[in-house]
Amino acid sequence: MRWALAISLMLTSAAQAQSDIASQVDAILQGHVAEGCTNGAGAFQSGVYQRDLTGDGLTDLIVDHGGINCTQGFGRSGFCGAQVCSVIFYVNQGGSLTEVQEILAIVGEISDTPLPLIGLHGHGGGRNFWRWNGVEFVNIGE
């Protein structure tokens, strides 16, 4: 009986943690739209990546401002230039998503490996791969 109770509490705790992360993601995305669009009018059409990026089993987040469709102004986030946009990395630290880094780029692909390679396209279209090193995401080259 104790095992059943312990397992039930663990499952309830895990479900609550996922709910908390989902709430945090919603708030983060709303904040980026509010900052990137005139009068905060717009929404993400793409550019939101949720998965374990650090190899710790927790869901992290990448937000690419290139995925925002603004309904007023130029139609793009104010955090986009002619070729690239702000890409913001959030790491899940004990159930709280913390912004750790911002890079000017476009997210290309994310490998399906335990510690994924993140392909970012920079100015001029060149692609470099980035990976978590335990402290930050670092450019490991082409």
Side-chain angles (χ1 to χ4, degrees):
M1 187 63 139
R2 287 185 185 159
W3 287 105
L5 180 59
I7 290 171
S8 176
L9 289 174
M10 286 181 3
L11 292 175
T12 301
S13 178
Q16 181 63 41
Q18 288 294 4
S19 175
D20 290 347
I21 291 297
S23 296
Q24 289 178 53
V25 169
D26 288 344
I28 288 168
L29 297 181
Q30 289 174 11
H32 283 290
V33 169
E35 290 178 345
C37 296
T38 303
N39 297 326
F44 274 90
Q45 301 301 309
S46 62
V48 178
Y49 306 90
Q50 295 181 71
R51 58 174 294 179
D52 180 8
L53 301 169
T54 61
D56 62 3
L58 300 174
T59 301
D60 305 302
L61 174 68
I62 300 175
V63 175
D64 182 346
H65 269 255
I68 297 176
N69 180 22
C70 298
T71 57
Q72 297 180 0
F74 295 108
R76 298 183 64 172
S77 169
F79 291 89
C80 290
Q83 295 182 359
V84 296
C85 300
S86 289
V87 174
I88 301 94
F89 292 84
Y90 293 85
V91 171
N92 187 333
Q93 297 177 331
S96 179
L97 290 170
T98 302
E99 182 179 334
V100 294
Q101 204 161 347
E102 181 174 352
I103 299 169
L104 293 175
I106 298 170
V107 176
E109 68 276 353
I110 303 172
S111 71
D112 191 26
T113 56
L115 192 58
L117 289 170
I118 303 158
L120 298 179
H121 298 272
H123 288 280
R127 180 182 68 184
N128 285 297
F129 289 97
W130 295 70
R131 178 176 270 161
W132 181 252
N133 72 357
V135 177
E136 64 183 348
F137 292 90
V138 294
N139 183 341
I140 60 170
E142 296 180 28

